[in-house]
Coordinates of all heavy atoms in Angstrom, one line a residue:
M1 N 86.4 102.9 101.2 CA 85.7 102.3 102.3 C 86.4 102.7 103.6 O 87.6 102.6 103.7 CB 85.7 100.7 102.2 CG 85.3 100.0 103.4 SD 85.7 98.3 103.4 CE 84.3 97.7 102.5
R2 N 85.6 103.2 104.5 CA 86.2 103.6 105.8 C 85.8 102.5 106.8 O 84.6 102.2 107.0 CB 85.6 104.9 106.3 CG 86.1 106.1 105.4 CD 86.0 107.4 106.1 NE 86.3 108.5 105.2 CZ 87.6 109.0 105.1 NH1 88.5 108.6 105.9 NH2 87.8 110.0 104.3
A3 N 86.8 101.9 107.4 CA 86.6 100.9 108.4 C 87.9 100.8 109.3 O 88.9 101.3 108.9 CB 86.4 99.5 107.7
P4 N 87.7 100.3 110.5 CA 88.9 100.2 111.3 C 90.1 99.4 110.6 O 89.9 98.4 110.0 CB 88.4 99.3 112.5 CG 86.9 99.5 112.5 CD 86.5 99.7 111.1
G5 N 91.2 100.0 110.7 CA 92.4 99.4 110.1 C 92.6 99.7 108.6 O 93.5 99.3 108.0
I6 N 91.6 100.5 108.0 CA 91.7 100.9 106.6 C 92.1 102.3 106.6 O 91.5 103.2 107.2 CB 90.4 100.7 105.9 CG1 89.9 99.3 106.0 CG2 90.5 101.2 104.5 CD1 90.7 98.3 105.2
V7 N 93.2 102.6 105.8 CA 93.7 104.0 105.7 C 93.2 104.6 104.4 O 93.3 104.0 103.4 CB 95.2 104.0 105.7 CG1 95.8 105.4 105.5 CG2 95.8 103.5 107.0
V8 N 92.5 105.7 104.5 CA 92.1 106.5 103.3 C 93.0 107.7 103.3 O 93.0 108.6 104.1 CB 90.6 106.9 103.4 CG1 90.2 107.7 102.2 CG2 89.7 105.7 103.6
G9 N 93.9 107.7 102.3 CA 94.9 108.7 102.2 C 94.8 109.5 100.9 O 94.4 109.0 99.9
A10 N 95.2 110.8 100.9 CA 95.2 111.6 99.7 C 96.6 111.8 99.2 O 97.6 111.8 100.0 CB 94.6 113.0 100.1
F11 N 96.7 111.9 97.9 CA 98.0 112.2 97.3 C 98.3 113.6 97.6 O 97.5 114.5 97.4 CB 97.9 111.9 95.8 CG 99.2 112.2 95.1 CD1 100.2 111.2 95.1 CD2 99.5 113.3 94.4 CE1 101.4 111.4 94.4 CE2 100.7 113.5 93.8 CZ 101.7 112.5 93.8
D12 N 99.5 113.8 98.1 CA 99.9 115.2 98.5 C 101.4 115.4 98.2 O 102.0 114.7 97.5 CB 99.6 115.4 100.0 CG 100.4 114.5 100.9 OD1 101.2 113.7 100.5 OD2 100.0 114.5 102.2
E13 N 101.9 116.5 98.7 CA 103.3 116.9 98.4 C 104.3 115.9 98.9 O 105.2 115.6 98.2 CB 103.6 118.3 99.1 CG 105.0 118.8 98.8 CD 105.3 120.1 99.4 OE1 104.5 120.7 100.1 OE2 106.4 120.6 99.2
M14 N 104.1 115.3 100.1 CA 105.0 114.3 100.6 C 105.0 113.0 99.7 O 106.0 112.4 99.4 CB 104.6 113.9 102.0 CG 105.0 114.9 103.0 SD 104.7 114.4 104.7 CE 105.8 113.1 104.9
A15 N 103.8 112.7 99.1 CA 103.7 111.5 98.2 C 104.5 111.9 96.9 O 105.2 111.0 96.4 CB 102.3 111.2 98.0
A16 N 104.3 113.1 96.5 CA 105.0 113.5 95.2 C 106.5 113.5 95.4 O 107.3 113.0 94.5 CB 104.5 114.9 94.8
L17 N 107.0 114.0 96.6 CA 108.4 113.9 96.8 C 108.9 112.5 96.9 O 110.1 112.2 96.5 CB 108.7 114.7 98.1 CG 108.5 116.2 98.1 CD1 108.6 116.8 99.4 CD2 109.5 116.8 97.1
A18 N 108.1 111.6 97.5 CA 108.5 110.2 97.5 C 108.7 109.6 96.1 O 109.6 108.8 95.9 CB 107.5 109.4 98.3
I19 N 107.9 110.0 95.2 CA 108.0 109.5 93.8 C 109.4 109.9 93.3 O 110.1 109.1 92.7 CB 106.9 110.0 92.9 CG1 105.6 109.3 93.3 CG2 107.2 109.8 91.4 CD1 104.4 109.9 92.6
G20 N 109.8 111.2 93.5 CA 111.1 111.7 93.1 C 112.2 110.9 93.7 O 113.2 110.7 93.1
K21 N 112.0 110.5 94.9 CA 113.1 109.7 95.6 C 113.2 108.3 95.3 O 114.2 107.7 95.0 CB 112.9 109.9 97.1 CG 114.0 109.2 98.0 CD 113.7 109.4 99.5 CE 114.8 108.6 100.3 NZ 114.6 108.8 101.7
Y22 N 112.0 107.6 95.3 CA 112.0 106.1 95.1 C 111.7 105.7 93.7 O 112.0 104.5 93.3 CB 111.0 105.5 96.0 CG 111.3 105.6 97.5 CD1 110.7 106.6 98.3 CD2 112.3 104.8 98.0 CE1 111.1 106.7 99.6 CE2 112.6 104.9 99.4 CZ 112.0 105.9 100.2 OH 112.4 106.0 101.5
C23 N 111.1 106.5 92.9 CA 110.8 106.1 91.5 C 111.0 107.3 90.5 O 110.1 107.8 89.9 CB 109.3 105.7 91.5 SG 108.9 104.4 90.4
P24 N 112.3 107.7 90.4 CA 112.6 108.8 89.5 C 112.3 108.5 88.1 O 112.0 107.3 87.7 CB 114.1 109.1 89.8 CG 114.6 107.8 90.3 CD 113.5 107.1 91.0
V25 N 112.4 109.5 87.2 CA 112.1 109.3 85.8 C 112.8 108.1 85.2 O 112.2 107.4 84.4 CB 112.4 110.6 85.0 CG1 112.2 110.4 83.5 CG2 111.5 111.7 85.5
A26 N 114.1 108.0 85.5 CA 114.8 106.9 84.9 C 114.2 105.5 85.2 O 114.1 104.6 84.4 CB 116.3 106.9 85.4
R27 N 113.8 105.4 86.5 CA 113.1 104.1 86.9 C 111.7 104.0 86.2 O 111.3 102.9 85.9 CB 113.0 104.1 88.4 CG 112.5 102.8 88.9 CD 112.8 102.6 90.4 NE 114.2 102.4 90.7 CZ 114.7 102.5 91.9 NH1 114.0 102.8 92.9 NH2 116.0 102.2 92.1
L28 N 111.0 105.1 86.1 CA 109.7 105.1 85.4 C 109.9 104.6 84.0 O 109.1 103.8 83.5 CB 109.1 106.4 85.4 CG 108.5 106.9 86.8 CD1 108.0 108.3 86.7 CD2 107.4 106.0 87.3
N29 N 111.0 105.0 83.3 CA 111.3 104.6 82.0 C 111.5 103.1 81.9 O 111.2 102.5 80.8 CB 112.4 105.4 81.4 CG 112.0 106.9 81.1 OD1 110.9 107.2 80.9 ND2 113.0 107.8 81.1
E30 N 112.1 102.5 82.9 CA 112.2 101.1 82.9 C 110.9 100.4 82.8 O 110.7 99.4 82.1 CB 113.0 100.6 84.2 CG 114.4 101.0 84.3 CD 115.0 100.7 85.7 OE1 114.4 99.9 86.4 OE2 116.0 101.3 86.0
F31 N 109.9 100.9 83.6 CA 108.6 100.3 83.6 C 107.9 100.5 82.2 O 107.2 99.6 81.7 CB 107.7 100.9 84.7 CG 108.1 100.4 86.0 CD1 108.5 101.3 87.0 CD2 108.0 99.1 86.4 CE1 108.9 100.9 88.3 CE2 108.3 98.6 87.7 CZ 108.7 99.5 88.6
K32 N 108.1 101.7 81.6 CA 107.5 102.0 80.4 C 107.9 101.1 79.2 O 107.2 100.9 78.3 CB 107.7 103.5 80.0 CG 106.9 104.5 80.7 CD 106.8 105.8 80.0 CE 108.1 106.4 79.8 NZ 108.1 107.8 79.3
R33 N 109.1 100.6 79.3 CA 109.7 99.8 78.2 C 109.0 98.4 78.2 O 109.1 97.7 77.2 CB 111.2 99.6 78.4 CG 111.9 100.8 77.9 CD 113.4 100.5 77.9 NE 114.0 101.6 78.6 CZ 114.9 101.6 79.5 NH1 115.3 100.5 80.0 NH2 115.3 102.7 80.1
E34 N 108.3 98.1 79.3 CA 107.7 96.8 79.3 C 106.3 96.8 78.5 O 105.6 97.8 78.6 CB 107.4 96.4 80.8 CG 108.8 96.2 81.5 CD 108.7 95.9 82.9 OE1 107.6 95.4 83.3 OE2 109.7 96.1 83.6
P35 N 106.0 95.7 77.8 CA 104.8 95.7 77.0 C 103.6 95.8 77.8 O 103.5 95.4 79.0 CB 104.9 94.4 76.2 CG 105.9 93.6 77.0 CD 106.8 94.5 77.8
A36 N 102.5 96.3 77.2 CA 101.1 96.3 77.8 C 101.0 97.2 79.0 O 100.0 97.1 79.7 CB 100.7 94.9 78.1
K37 N 101.9 98.1 79.2 CA 101.8 99.1 80.3 C 101.7 100.5 79.7 O 102.6 101.0 79.2 CB 103.0 99.0 81.2 CG 102.8 99.7 82.5 CD 101.7 99.1 83.3 CE 101.6 99.8 84.7 NZ 100.6 99.2 85.5
S38 N 100.5 101.0 79.8 CA 100.3 102.4 79.3 C 100.9 103.4 80.2 O 101.0 103.2 81.5 CB 98.8 102.7 79.1 OG 98.2 102.9 80.3
K39 N 101.3 104.5 79.7 CA 101.9 105.6 80.5 C 100.9 106.1 81.6 O 101.3 106.3 82.7 CB 102.3 106.8 79.6 CG 103.1 107.8 80.3 CD 103.5 108.9 79.3 CE 104.3 110.0 80.0 NZ 104.7 111.0 79.1
G40 N 99.6 106.2 81.2 CA 98.6 106.6 82.2 C 98.4 105.7 83.3 O 98.4 106.1 84.5
A41 N 98.4 104.4 83.0 CA 98.2 103.4 84.0 C 99.4 103.3 85.0 O 99.3 103.2 86.2 CB 98.0 102.0 83.4
L42 N 100.6 103.5 84.4 CA 101.8 103.5 85.2 C 101.8 104.7 86.2 O 102.1 104.6 87.3 CB 103.0 103.7 84.3 CG 104.4 103.9 85.0 CD1 104.7 102.7 85.8 CD2 105.5 104.2 83.9
K43 N 101.4 105.9 85.7 CA 101.3 107.1 86.6 C 100.4 106.8 87.8 O 100.7 107.2 88.9 CB 100.9 108.3 85.8 CG 101.9 108.9 84.9 CD 101.4 110.1 84.2 CE 102.4 110.7 83.2 NZ 101.9 111.9 82.6
F44 N 99.2 106.2 87.5 CA 98.3 106.0 88.6 C 98.8 104.9 89.5 O 98.7 105.1 90.8 CB 96.9 105.5 88.0 CG 96.1 106.7 87.5 CD1 95.8 106.8 86.2 CD2 95.6 107.6 88.5 CE1 95.0 107.9 85.8 CE2 94.8 108.6 88.0 CZ 94.5 108.8 86.7
D45 N 99.5 103.9 89.0 CA 100.0 102.9 89.9 C 101.1 103.5 90.8 O 101.1 103.2 92.0 CB 100.7 101.7 89.1 CG 99.7 100.8 88.4 OD1 98.4 101.0 88.8 OD2 100.1 100.0 87.6
V46 N 102.0 104.3 90.3 CA 103.0 105.0 91.1 C 102.4 105.9 92.1 O 102.8 106.0 93.3 CB 104.0 105.7 90.2 CG1 105.0 106.6 91.0 CG2 104.8 104.7 89.3
M47 N 101.3 106.7 91.7 CA 100.7 107.6 92.7 C 100.0 106.8 93.8 O 100.1 107.2 95.0 CB 99.7 108.4 92.0 CG 100.3 109.5 91.1 SD 99.1 110.4 90.1 CE 98.2 111.3 91.4
I48 N 99.4 105.7 93.5 CA 98.8 104.8 94.5 C 99.8 104.3 95.5 O 99.6 104.4 96.8 CB 98.0 103.6 93.9 CG1 96.8 104.2 93.1 CG2 97.6 102.6 94.9 CD1 96.2 103.2 92.2
V49 N 100.9 103.8 95.0 CA 102.0 103.3 95.9 C 102.6 104.4 96.7 O 102.8 104.3 97.9 CB 103.0 102.5 95.1 CG1 104.2 102.1 96.0 CG2 102.4 101.3 94.5
A50 N 102.8 105.6 96.1 CA 103.4 106.7 96.8 C 102.5 107.2 97.9 O 103.0 107.5 99.0 CB 103.8 107.8 95.9
T51 N 101.2 107.2 97.7 CA 100.2 107.6 98.7 C 100.2 106.6 99.8 O 100.2 107.0 101.0 CB 98.8 107.8 98.1 OG1 98.9 108.7 97.0 CG2 97.8 108.2 99.1
A52 N 100.3 105.3 99.5 CA 100.3 104.3 100.6 C 101.6 104.5 101.4 O 101.6 104.5 102.7 CB 100.3 102.9 100.0
W53 N 102.7 104.7 100.8 CA 104.0 104.9 101.5 C 103.9 106.1 102.4 O 104.4 106.1 103.5 CB 105.1 105.0 100.4 CG 106.5 105.3 101.1 CD1 107.4 104.4 101.5 CD2 107.0 106.6 101.4 NE1 108.5 105.1 102.0 CE2 108.3 106.4 102.0 CE3 106.5 107.9 101.2 CZ2 109.0 107.5 102.4 CZ3 107.3 109.0 101.6 CH2 108.6 108.7 102.2
R54 N 103.4 107.2 101.8 CA 103.4 108.5 102.6 C 102.5 108.3 103.8 O 102.8 109.0 104.8 CB 102.8 109.6 101.6 CG 102.6 110.9 102.3 CD 101.2 111.1 102.8 NE 101.0 112.4 103.4 CZ 101.2 112.8 104.6 NH1 101.6 111.9 105.5 NH2 101.0 114.0 105.1
H55 N 101.5 107.5 103.8 CA 100.6 107.4 104.9 C 101.1 106.2 105.8 O 100.4 105.8 106.7 CB 99.2 107.2 104.5 CG 98.6 108.5 103.9 ND1 98.1 109.5 104.8 CD2 98.4 108.9 102.7 CE1 97.7 110.5 104.0 NE2 97.9 110.2 102.7
R56 N 102.3 105.7 105.6 CA 103.0 104.7 106.4 C 102.1 103.5 106.7 O 102.0 103.0 107.8 CB 103.4 105.4 107.8 CG 104.3 106.5 107.6 CD 104.8 107.0 109.0 NE 105.8 108.0 108.8 CZ 105.6 109.3 109.1 NH1 104.5 109.7 109.6 NH2 106.6 110.2 108.9
V57 N 101.6 103.0 105.6 CA 100.8 101.7 105.8 C 101.8 100.6 106.0 O 103.0 100.6 105.7 CB 99.9 101.4 104.5 CG1 98.9 102.5 104.3 CG2 100.8 101.2 103.3
N58 N 101.3 99.5 106.6 CA 102.1 98.3 106.8 C 102.4 97.6 105.5 O 103.4 97.0 105.3 CB 101.5 97.4 107.8 CG 101.4 98.0 109.2 OD1 102.3 98.8 109.6 ND2 100.3 97.7 109.9
A59 N 101.4 97.6 104.7 CA 101.5 96.8 103.4 C 100.4 97.4 102.5 O 99.4 97.9 102.9 CB 101.3 95.3 103.6
I60 N 100.5 97.1 101.2 CA 99.5 97.5 100.2 C 98.9 96.2 99.7 O 99.7 95.2 99.4 CB 100.1 98.3 99.1 CG1 99.0 98.9 98.2 CG2 101.2 97.6 98.3 CD1 99.4 100.0 97.3
V61 N 97.6 96.1 99.7 CA 96.9 94.8 99.3 C 96.6 95.0 97.8 O 95.9 95.9 97.4 CB 95.7 94.6 100.1 CG1 95.0 93.3 99.7 CG2 96.0 94.6 101.6
T62 N 97.1 94.1 97.0 CA 96.9 94.1 95.5 C 97.1 92.8 94.9 O 97.8 91.9 95.4 CB 97.8 95.2 94.9 OG1 97.5 95.3 93.5 CG2 99.3 94.8 95.0
L63 N 96.4 92.6 93.7 CA 96.7 91.5 92.9 C 97.5 91.9 91.6 O 97.9 91.0 90.9 CB 95.3 90.9 92.4 CG 94.5 90.2 93.5 CD1 93.1 89.9 92.9 CD2 95.2 89.0 94.0
D64 N 97.7 93.2 91.5 CA 98.4 93.7 90.3 C 99.9 93.5 90.4 O 100.5 94.1 91.3 CB 98.0 95.2 90.2 CG 98.5 95.8 88.9 OD1 99.6 95.4 88.4 OD2 97.9 96.8 88.4
P65 N 100.5 92.7 89.5 CA 101.9 92.5 89.6 C 102.7 93.8 89.4 O 103.8 93.9 89.9 CB 102.2 91.5 88.4 CG 101.0 91.5 87.6 CD 99.8 92.0 88.4
D66 N 102.2 94.7 88.6 CA 102.9 96.0 88.4 C 103.0 96.8 89.7 O 104.0 97.4 90.0 CB 102.3 96.8 87.3 CG 102.4 96.1 85.9 OD1 103.5 95.6 85.7 OD2 101.4 96.2 85.2
V67 N 101.9 96.8 90.4 CA 101.8 97.6 91.7 C 102.8 96.9 92.7 O 103.5 97.6 93.4 CB 100.4 97.6 92.3 CG1 100.4 98.2 93.7 CG2 99.5 98.5 91.4
K68 N 102.9 95.6 92.7 CA 103.8 94.9 93.5 C 105.2 95.3 93.2 O 106.0 95.5 94.2 CB 103.6 93.4 93.4 CG 102.3 92.8 93.9 CD 102.2 91.3 93.7 CE 100.9 90.8 94.1 NZ 100.8 89.3 94.0
R69 N 105.6 95.4 92.0 CA 107.0 95.7 91.6 C 107.3 97.2 92.0 O 108.4 97.5 92.5 CB 107.2 95.5 90.1 CG 107.3 94.1 89.7 CD 107.5 93.8 88.3 NE 106.7 94.6 87.4 CZ 107.1 95.5 86.5 NH1 108.4 95.7 86.3 NH2 106.3 96.1 85.8
I70 N 106.3 98.1 91.8 CA 106.5 99.4 92.2 C 106.6 99.6 93.7 O 107.5 100.3 94.2 CB 105.4 100.3 91.6 CG1 105.4 100.3 90.1 CG2 105.5 101.8 92.2 CD1 104.2 100.9 89.4
A71 N 105.8 98.8 94.4 CA 105.8 98.9 95.9 C 107.2 98.5 96.4 O 107.7 99.0 97.3 CB 104.8 98.0 96.5
A72 N 107.8 97.5 95.7 CA 109.1 97.0 96.1 C 110.2 98.2 96.0 O 111.1 98.2 96.8 CB 109.6 95.8 95.3
K73 N 110.0 99.0 95.0 CA 110.9 100.2 94.8 C 110.8 101.1 96.0 O 111.8 101.8 96.3 CB 110.6 100.9 93.5 CG 110.7 100.0 92.3 CD 112.1 99.6 92.0 CE 112.2 98.8 90.7 NZ 113.5 98.1 90.6
F74 N 109.7 101.2 96.6 CA 109.4 102.0 97.8 C 109.7 101.3 99.1 O 109.4 101.8 100.2 CB 108.0 102.5 97.8 CG 107.7 103.6 96.8 CD1 107.5 103.4 95.5 CD2 107.5 104.9 97.3 CE1 107.2 104.4 94.6 CE2 107.2 105.9 96.4 CZ 107.1 105.7 95.0
D75 N 110.3 100.1 99.0 CA 110.5 99.3 100.2 C 109.2 99.1 101.0 O 109.2 99.1 102.2 CB 111.6 99.8 101.1 CG 112.9 99.8 100.4 OD1 113.2 98.9 99.7 OD2 113.7 100.8 100.7
L76 N 108.1 98.9 100.2 CA 106.8 98.7 100.8 C 106.3 97.3 100.5 O 106.4 96.8 99.4 CB 105.8 99.7 100.2 CG 104.4 99.7 100.7 CD1 104.3 100.1 102.2 CD2 103.5 100.7 99.9
E77 N 105.9 96.6 101.6 CA 105.4 95.2 101.4 C 104.1 95.2 100.6 O 103.3 96.1 100.8 CB 105.2 94.6 102.8 CG 104.7 93.1 102.7 CD 104.5 92.5 104.1 OE1 104.6 93.2 105.1 OE2 104.2 91.3 104.1
S78 N 103.9 94.2 99.8 CA 102.7 94.0 99.1 C 102.2 92.6 99.4 O 102.9 91.7 99.5 CB 102.8 94.2 97.6 OG 103.7 93.3 97.0
V79 N 100.9 92.6 99.7 CA 100.2 91.3 100.0 C 99.0 91.1 99.1 O 98.5 92.1 98.6 CB 99.9 91.2 101.5 CG1 101.1 91.2 102.4 CG2 98.9 92.3 101.9
E80 N 98.5 89.9 99.0 CA 97.3 89.6 98.3 C 96.1 89.4 99.2 O 96.3 89.0 100.4 CB 97.5 88.4 97.4 CG 98.6 88.6 96.3 CD 98.7 87.4 95.4 OE1 97.9 86.4 95.5 OE2 99.5 87.5 94.4
P81 N 94.9 89.6 98.7 CA 93.8 89.3 99.6 C 93.8 87.9 100.2 O 93.3 87.8 101.4 CB 92.6 89.5 98.6 CG 93.1 90.4 97.6 CD 94.5 90.0 97.4
K82 N 94.3 86.9 99.5 CA 94.3 85.6 100.1 C 95.1 85.5 101.3 O 94.9 84.6 102.1 CB 94.8 84.6 99.0 CG 96.2 84.7 98.7 CD 96.6 83.7 97.6 CE 98.1 83.8 97.2 NZ 99.1 83.5 98.2
D83 N 96.0 86.4 101.5 CA 96.9 86.4 102.7 C 96.0 86.7 104.0 O 96.6 86.5 105.1 CB 98.0 87.4 102.6 CG 99.0 87.1 101.5 OD1 99.1 85.9 101.2 OD2 99.5 88.0 100.9
F84 N 94.8 87.1 103.8 CA 93.9 87.4 105.0 C 92.9 86.3 105.2 O 92.0 86.5 106.1 CB 93.3 88.8 104.8 CG 94.2 89.9 104.7 CD1 94.7 90.4 103.5 CD2 94.7 90.5 105.9 CE1 95.7 91.4 103.4 CE2 95.6 91.5 105.8 CZ 96.1 92.0 104.6
E85 N 92.9 85.3 104.4 CA 92.0 84.2 104.6 C 92.1 83.5 105.9 O 93.2 83.4 106.4 CB 92.1 83.2 103.5 CG 91.7 83.6 102.1 CD 92.0 82.6 101.0 OE1 92.5 81.5 101.4 OE2 91.6 82.9 99.9
S86 N 91.0 83.1 106.5 CA 91.1 82.3 107.7 C 89.9 81.3 107.7 O 88.9 81.5 107.0 CB 90.9 83.2 109.0 OG 89.7 83.9 108.9
P87 N 90.1 80.2 108.4 CA 89.0 79.2 108.3 C 87.7 79.7 108.9 O 87.7 80.5 109.8 CB 89.6 78.1 109.2 CG 90.9 78.5 109.7 CD 91.2 79.8 109.2
Q88 N 86.6 79.3 108.3 CA 85.3 79.7 108.8 C 85.0 79.0 110.1 O 85.3 77.8 110.2 CB 84.3 79.4 107.8 CG 82.9 79.9 108.1 CD 81.9 79.7 107.0 OE1 82.2 79.1 106.0 NE2 80.7 80.2 107.2
S89 N 84.5 79.7 111.1 CA 84.2 79.0 112.3 C 82.8 78.3 112.2 O 81.9 78.8 111.4 CB 84.1 80.0 113.5 OG 83.1 81.0 113.2
G90 N 82.7 77.2 112.9 CA 81.5 76.5 112.9 C 80.4 77.0 113.9 O 80.7 77.8 114.7
F91 N 79.2 76.5 113.7 CA 78.1 76.8 114.7 C 77.8 75.6 115.5 O 77.7 74.5 115.0 CB 76.9 77.3 113.9 CG 77.1 78.6 113.2 CD1 77.3 78.7 111.9 CD2 77.0 79.8 114.0 CE1 77.4 79.9 111.3 CE2 77.2 81.0 113.4 CZ 77.3 81.1 112.0
D92 N 77.5 75.8 116.7 CA 77.1 74.7 117.6 C 75.5 74.7 117.6 O 74.9 75.7 118.1 CB 77.6 74.9 119.0 CG 77.3 73.7 119.9 OD1 76.8 72.7 119.4 OD2 77.5 73.9 121.1
Y93 N 74.9 73.7 117.0 CA 73.5 73.7 116.8 C 72.7 73.0 118.0 O 71.6 72.9 118.0 CB 73.1 73.0 115.5 CG 73.5 73.8 114.3 CD1 74.5 73.4 113.5 CD2 72.8 75.0 114.0 CE1 74.9 74.1 112.4 CE2 73.2 75.7 112.9 CZ 74.2 75.2 112.1 OH 74.6 76.0 111.0
E94 N 73.4 72.6 119.0 CA 72.8 71.9 120.1 C 72.3 72.8 121.2 O 72.7 73.9 121.4 CB 73.8 70.9 120.7 CG 74.1 69.8 119.7 CD 75.0 68.8 120.3 OE1 74.5 67.9 121.1 OE2 76.2 68.8 120.0

């Protein structure tokens, strides 16, 4: 979705280098030891976080606890959609 304040970024060489720096193979192996996490899903999660980091986002919005943990390895803040909730404004019918 393209909208003001939304960053659409591509995985590129800088993102790949960030994976090597913030999430090397030894760290990836820590994640792989955890149950219910497939190697394929782990790779995509790391690529998503690295792309967000590379494009210098303020935070990554996710409900996925694995993405939150990976984001922390990149020193990237993660927030949930509920963090953007605001009260609905009323209408004046008079």
Side-chain angles (χ1 to χ4, degrees):
M1 167 192 277
R2 294 199 184 264
I6 302 294
V7 175
V8 178
F11 183 80
D12 61 9
E13 182 179 2
M14 286 183 67
L17 292 171
I19 290 174
K21 179 178 179 181
Y22 293 101
C23 213
V25 174
R27 189 165 283 165
L28 289 175
N29 288 333
E30 292 173 16
F31 288 117
K32 281 198 308 187
R33 281 186 226 131
E34 298 178 18
K37 188 66 175 181
S38 75
K39 186 176 180 181
L42 173 65
K43 286 181 181 181
F44 280 112
D45 289 348
V46 171
M47 288 174 66
I48 289 166
V49 172
T51 301
W53 176 90
R54 180 266 182 266
H55 290 280
R56 297 184 176 113
V57 300
N58 294 327
I60 189 165
V61 181
T62 184
L63 292 172
D64 188 327
D66 294 320
V67 171
K68 290 178 182 182
R69 289 182 310 121
I70 295 166
K73 301 295 183 190
F74 283 77
D75 295 324
L76 182 62
E77 181 183 5
S78 59
V79 295
E80 294 187 0
K82 68 179 176 73
D83 296 327
F84 297 94
E85 291 177 355
S86 62
Q88 185 175 4
S89 61
F91 291 103
D92 185 10
Y93 292 108
E94 297 183 77

